Structure formats: C-alpha cells, structure tokens
Amino acid sequence: MQPAPPAPAAFHAPGPLRGTVRVPGDKSISHRALMLSALAVGTSRIEGLLDGEDVLATAAAMRAMGAECVREGDGRWMVHGVGVGGLLQPAAALDMGNSGTSTRLLMGVVASHPITATFTGDASLSGRPMGRVIEPLARMGADITASPGGRLPLMVRGLCPAVPIEYRLPVASAQVKSAVLLAGLNTPGLTRVIEPVATRDHSERMLRGFGAELTVEEDGTATRIITIRGEAELRPQEIAVPGDPSSAAFPAVAACLVPGSDVLVEHVGLNPTRAGLFAALQAMGADLSFENAREIGGEPVADIRVRGSALSGFANDPRDVASMVDEYPILFVAAALARGRSVFTGLEELRVKESDRIAVMAQGLAAIGARVEETADGLIVEGTGGDRLAGGATVAARLDHRIAMSFAVAGLVSHAPVIIDDMAPVATSFPGFEALMTTLGAERRQLAPA
C-alpha cells in the first residue's frame, strides 16, 4: 500500500456551523463485521461499512485468505465466508497500512489456523509495539517472529489445534481481548479473558450475534470475565453499521467551540463502552443532547445535537479512559478553549497509538498559543475561556489521522491559520471529513505556495 503524498491544509469558520450530517460507519464494528463474516459459513451482507483505508486493509486480508468480499453498487458489502478453520494460506504478505486494529485482531485469527501469515504496514504502524498481543497468542501455541521490539514486519505461524488459555489482561485493551477471543474461535474447549476494566465490547456483541457460545460474567467489581467455546460454527448475518462515535467527536466539538453553531450528527453508535467523550463534553457544560434513541443490531444508536457552548475545565477519571481513548486529542482542543484548568491523567495508552498523542498534541497546541503542560501520563491545559487561539503555526500530524482532524478543528477557532502538514492520513478513518465540515460551513484556507 503506497503512502499518499503529503497534503497540507488549514481550515477556518467564517460563521457558525449549521446543518445535519452523518459520519462514516464505526471503524471498530466494520473491522469485526468483515472478519466474522469471513469466518461464517455462507453469505453475510453489511450496510454502512466504513470505506476508509484501515477497513479496506482488513477486507483485502480476508480476500487473501480465501473469503469473497465484494462492495456492491449500492455501497453494501457481500462477504461469502469460508467457515472457522477454513482460511487459506495467503500467497503474499498482508499489508495492513496504518491499521493497528486489523493487525492485532487478524494475528488472533491466524494464530489458531494451520497457516502462516506475514504482516507488514506503513512507517507509523511499523513503529507500534505488538508485544501485548504476541504474549497471549504465543501461550496458545502460535509461533510469532517479530522485528526488534515486537514490531512489524512479523510472521505468525498458527497452531491447529491451538491451546485454550485463561488470560488476565495486564492493561485494559479491547484489541488484545479481541485477538484472544478470535483465536479461541478455532481452539477446542474454553478460552477465557479476564479484563480489569471494561473495554469496548463490540467483539462480544458481534460474536454472540454470529452464533458463538460466549458468556460475560462480572465479579461485583469492574472486572469482567469473558469465556468463549471453541470450534464454533458461525452463521451469516445482515449487519447495519452505526456511525462511528470517534468520528462524530470532531463535528461535535467543532459545534461546541464555534459560537452560534447548531449541528445534528445522525445515526451515531452510542455503545456505553465508547460514549465517554459525549459525557465529558456534557460535564464541561456543552449544550449537547441525544435524540431519536434506538437499537440497531444490538448496538445503541442516537442522533446527537450540539450547539455552541461555553465550556468549563475538566478533570478526567482514569477509570473512564477506555470509553474515550481515541477521543482525547480532540478533547484536548476543547479544553484549550474552556474556562479554567483541565487535568488529564491515566493516558499512558496514548503514547503508543499511531503517534505519541500526548507529546504531539502538547507540542502542537503550544505552537498555536494554548497553555499546556505535558506530564508522564497526560496533559494539564489552561483554557482561554472561549477566546480564540493565536494560531499562526504549522503542526505535524505525524501520520496520525486523529491528530490531523483535531488541529483542523483547532483552526476553526484560531486567529491565524493552523496549517496541518499532512491531511492524507485522515483517509484511514474519515475519508469524507473535509466535505462534511464544508457542508457545515467550514472553509479550507488558501495556502501560500511553499
């Protein structure tokens, strides 16, 4: 997968943001829908699948291992699965692009199949450690050869039958949990994952929907015990993917920050393990409400209305990090415009995302006039009380889609242009981001030639 050439850009808001929009399908659910459809026996159909580069990397990998994955003319996807245990040896390396989710979950799938797969990725993904996934999958019998530091490129030689394990997550991670559960699908007996803090539960919901025998127990604390019975036979499904709350975060925060705005974001997934950003905005005083609440395919969905708001400082609860881990960059932008101090702690996980999101956001926000202090596990942000940021700087996105979109929103509430050095990575999760923001009234600034 060839990297796109750098695409610098800057955005501003000549007036309030107004309108009704939909964001792309949920990325986490889209990945899982493709994988489980490929492991079912028969044909599944998926509506609303995210067409971003990360999800397309998953579709390409499933094709390479024998499943038929076709995007039809109306935008729906048809997947003809090969069944659990039926994946074929890929003829070439699986190029995961920038997708950590694809890589970690597919490592779990391959780990209990009698095949060998090599995983490669772009420069950003190749710098991200995979040790958290390697350790439990190796305990199940997979032979994994990684580059130094447990990084890509790496090779997974699956074992069939694999060894069922009971695995306690050392840190909360939905991706590690899901990798072990997916490996457990083709492993005889019971595979069990114990998580100390509840993480996003899309895998559990969807595995049950496809017919896997899976139970979830709670011990009276935050601990959850997820057990799956292996040698499963998955049934094909009709899946409707809700809008991605991580993508909805950007127009929602933009509407909060630009005075006079009134924006409705339709059809957003509000799984309680993913909706922490919206609760945080409400705690900061955002004029944010949920309309037309319903359930689609076992996932709660609603429309989110957001109006221009005077925000106050916020101190996060580290126990809630898992419910909004991908939304902290844009929440840092909101904090920079709030009244008073915001203190963010317990965010060590952000240092091993597509970039070190704590350091990159601290550097970028400081460059455009925000008052920030980086700590070992978070940020301290002194807000402007609603006054615009100075702007007037070029910030480095570091190949990170969420960093790029966060500073695009910051540019809407800055005096001088905030130039993002490369908006190309946004295509991994939100290929229509610029068009959506333009629909609401934002404009792309004209940049002087380099």
Side-chain angles (χ1 to χ4, degrees):
M1 190 178 293
Q2 293 297 316
F11 302 87
H12 72 120
L17 303 179
R18 298 182 183 275
T20 299
V21 291
R22 285 198 178 197
V23 295
D26 185 286
K27 186 153 71 91
S28 295
I29 295 175
S30 294
H31 284 305
R32 289 159 172 83
L34 284 171
M35 292 180 196
L36 294 183
S37 295
L39 292 170
V41 178
T43 301
S44 295
R45 288 179 171 78
I46 309 170
E47 180 180 351
L49 191 87
L50 170 65
D51 278 340
E53 291 175 356
D54 282 9
V55 174
L56 296 179
T58 293
M62 302 320 297
R63 287 191 199 100
M65 292 187 285
E68 183 181 354
C69 302
V70 178
R71 188 182 190 277
E72 299 179 326
D74 59 1
R76 299 183 184 187
W77 283 71
M78 182 276 293
V79 180
H80 186 75
V82 297
V84 172
L87 294 178
L88 304 177
Q89 173 84 33
L94 303 177
D95 185 349
M96 298 290 95
N98 188 242
S99 182
T101 302
S102 301
T103 305
R104 294 185 176 102
L105 270 59
L106 286 173
M107 286 172 64
V109 171
V110 171
S112 60
H113 278 74
I115 60 176
T116 298
T118 298
F119 293 85
T120 63
D122 66 10
S124 172
L125 182 60
S126 297
R128 296 167 68 182
M130 298 292 160
R132 290 181 186 172
V133 183
I134 292 172
E135 197 274 330
L137 297 181
R139 284 179 52 185
M140 298 181 77
D143 180 7
I144 302 175
T145 304
S147 298
R151 291 173 165 82
L152 271 58
L154 62 76
M155 179 181 292
V156 180
R157 298 177 181 86
L159 177 67
C160 185
V163 180
I165 62 171
E166 178 175 290
Y167 187 69
R168 180 178 292 271
L169 296 175
V171 295
S173 172
Q175 291 182 359
V176 177
K177 171 182 66 177
S178 298
V180 175
L181 293 175
L182 289 168
L185 275 176
N186 198 39
T187 299
L190 301 177
T191 296
R192 184 169 288 115
V193 179
I194 302 170
E195 57 177 2
V197 177
T199 63
R200 59 185 63 178
D201 65 352
H202 303 305
S203 293
E204 295 95 305
R205 291 172 184 254
M206 194 170 288
L207 281 163
R208 282 199 193 109
F210 273 85
E213 187 178 329
L214 181 144
T215 61
V216 179
E217 305 171 63
E218 299 186 6
D219 67 355
T221 67
T223 301
R224 299 170 75 243
I225 304 166
I226 306 106
T227 304
I228 189 166
R229 182 175 294 280
E231 299 178 317
E233 183 171 323
L234 303 185
R235 300 184 296 269
Q237 299 294 306
E238 301 278 339
I239 302 169
V241 180
D244 195 320
S246 296
S247 296
F250 297 101
V253 170
C256 282
L257 298 182
V258 178
S261 295
D262 187 351
V263 170
L264 183 70
V265 187
E266 294 183 320
H267 193 65
V268 180
L270 290 176
N271 184 302
T273 64
R274 297 283 306 282
L277 180 277
F278 306 113
L281 290 175
Q282 289 178 319
M284 296 172 76
D287 184 352
L288 183 154
S289 59
F290 303 104
E291 302 177 0
N292 190 23
R294 64 257 192 214
E295 187 171 289
I296 297 176
E299 294 278 350
V301 175
D303 306 332
I304 304 176
R305 182 172 294 280
V306 191
R307 298 180 175 89
S309 309
L311 302 181
S312 299
F314 177 71
N316 75 307
D317 185 338
R319 294 174 297 183
D320 295 334
V321 169
S323 70
M324 54 187 295
V325 66
D326 289 327
E327 288 75 69
Y328 274 99
I330 189 60
L331 186 58
F332 295 156
V333 174
L337 275 291
R339 181 181 66 255
R341 170 178 288 193
S342 295
V343 180
F344 300 99
T345 58
L347 306 183
E348 298 92 341
E349 181 72 13
L350 270 66
R351 293 200 183 274
V352 292
K353 289 289 188 177
E354 283 85 335
S355 66
D356 179 341
R357 288 179 173 168
I358 295 175
V360 175
M361 287 301 301
Q363 293 161 9
L365 286 170
I368 63 175
R371 292 181 294 166
V372 298
E373 177 186 343
E374 182 179 346
T375 65
D377 67 343
L379 283 185
I380 299 172
V381 184
E382 299 285 353
T384 66
D387 294 337
R388 285 175 169 258
L389 296 167
T394 297
V395 296
R398 307 291 182 192
L399 298 177
D400 191 325
H401 52 130
R402 301 201 195 281
I403 299 293
M405 289 185 282
S406 295
F407 282 109
V409 172
L412 304 181
V413 286
S414 296
H415 288 292
V418 174
I419 301 173
I420 302 96
D421 71 337
D422 189 7
M423 289 294 291
V426 171
T428 65
S429 68
F430 200 157
F433 171 75
E434 183 176 340
L436 181 145
M437 297 305 296
T438 300
T439 297
L440 295 176
E443 295 181 356
R444 187 185 183 110
R445 290 183 184 266
Q446 293 297 317
L447 299 181

